[in-house]
Amino acid sequence: MAKSDIRICRFGLCKHPNKQIDISKEKYVVVKKRYYHEDCFNQREQNLKKDEKTSADIQLMKNLWFTNINRTTSYGALLAAFNDILERGVSSDYLLFTLQYCINHNLNLRYPQGLKFFVDKWYIKQEYYSAQRKQTYENKTFVVSEKDSQTPQCAPKTNKKNYKNIFNK
């Protein structure tokens, strides 16, 4: 086996030993001179896909950033910061809420990479959770159904203890 037959998998979460790919024996994928195991590449592609809501939230966050915070920010740096935070497992709803919170409360946010520090603040998390609870309670409607013969009936006891009932016993 020649030294040139061994490549390193470029996927950060590769679970193969030593991240090595023997290109003469194993199946692999090459993208822009980067080698991946076939299963690592499939997992990478699955992680990179964003749903429509996340894409719409990113678009809204870009517009908010350029209109309210800094117009001269590099577009690539802004997207890299957003994607980095989303890859850490933060939902796009929470990231959007954090950005709006920073804008509304005039917090000192000047560069895109600083947004990840505000994502970890406990008071912003508490505001987000309270806003979520409030929103879920506002959206719920309670419907009173008619009595059914199979539903258990509860009736209060009418036998109250007062001085008249004491004499009747």
Side-chain angles (χ1 to χ4, degrees):
M1 173 171 30
K3 180 73 174 167
S4 62
D5 289 347
I6 295 177
R7 302 285 187 245
I8 302 295
C9 181
R10 299 299 297 243
F11 185 55
L13 302 174
C14 180
K15 295 183 179 171
H16 296 274
N18 299 329
K19 294 187 176 186
Q20 293 183 351
I21 306 170
D22 186 4
I23 58 174
S24 62
K25 296 178 182 176
E26 296 181 47
K27 293 183 179 180
Y28 62 94
V29 178
V30 179
V31 177
K32 295 182 182 178
K33 297 183 181 179
R34 294 181 178 176
Y35 289 82
Y36 298 95
H37 292 102
E38 190 172 1
D39 56 337
C40 294
F41 181 76
N42 293 337
Q43 187 177 0
R44 176 183 174 266
E45 289 298 313
Q46 184 179 10
N47 291 346
L48 291 177
K49 290 181 183 175
K50 295 182 179 77
D51 59 344
E52 291 128 22
K53 177 152 180 32
T54 304
S55 299
D57 285 344
I58 288 175
Q59 191 67 27
L60 181 60
M61 287 185 286
K62 286 189 301 190
N63 293 338
L64 284 172
W65 184 274
F66 286 125
T67 57
N68 296 315
I69 296 177
N70 191 355
R71 293 180 186 160
T72 61
T73 304
S74 169
Y75 183 76
L78 184 65
L79 282 181
F82 288 157
N83 288 331
D84 182 40
I85 294 170
L86 292 173
E87 284 177 6
R88 287 178 29 196
V90 175
S91 69
S92 62
D93 289 336
Y94 179 64
L95 186 59
L96 178 62
F97 179 84
T98 304
L99 184 60
Q100 289 173 339
Y101 186 89
C102 291
I103 292 169
N104 293 339
H105 291 84
N106 296 326
L107 297 178
N108 189 14
L109 180 62
R110 298 286 177 248
Y111 61 100
Q113 291 81 6
L115 189 60
K116 65 182 166 185
F117 298 108
F118 288 104
V119 167
D120 293 333
K121 299 287 184 181
W122 65 270
Y123 56 88
I124 296 178
K125 288 179 183 179
Q126 293 298 323
E127 285 286 325
Y128 176 72
Y129 292 133
S130 65
Q132 289 296 322
R133 281 192 302 256
K134 184 178 180 183
Q135 186 179 19
T136 56
Y137 286 131
E138 288 175 356
N139 292 342
K140 286 191 177 183
T141 57
F142 296 101
V143 178
V144 178
S145 60
E146 296 180 14
K147 289 184 179 179
D148 193 9
S149 63
Q150 295 182 1
T151 33
Q153 301 292 327
C154 297
K157 289 184 177 180
T158 58
N159 204 3
K160 295 182 181 177
K161 291 187 177 183
N162 56 22
Y163 70 94
K164 292 181 182 179
N165 290 340
I166 293 173
F167 294 121
N168 291 335
K169 286 187 179 181

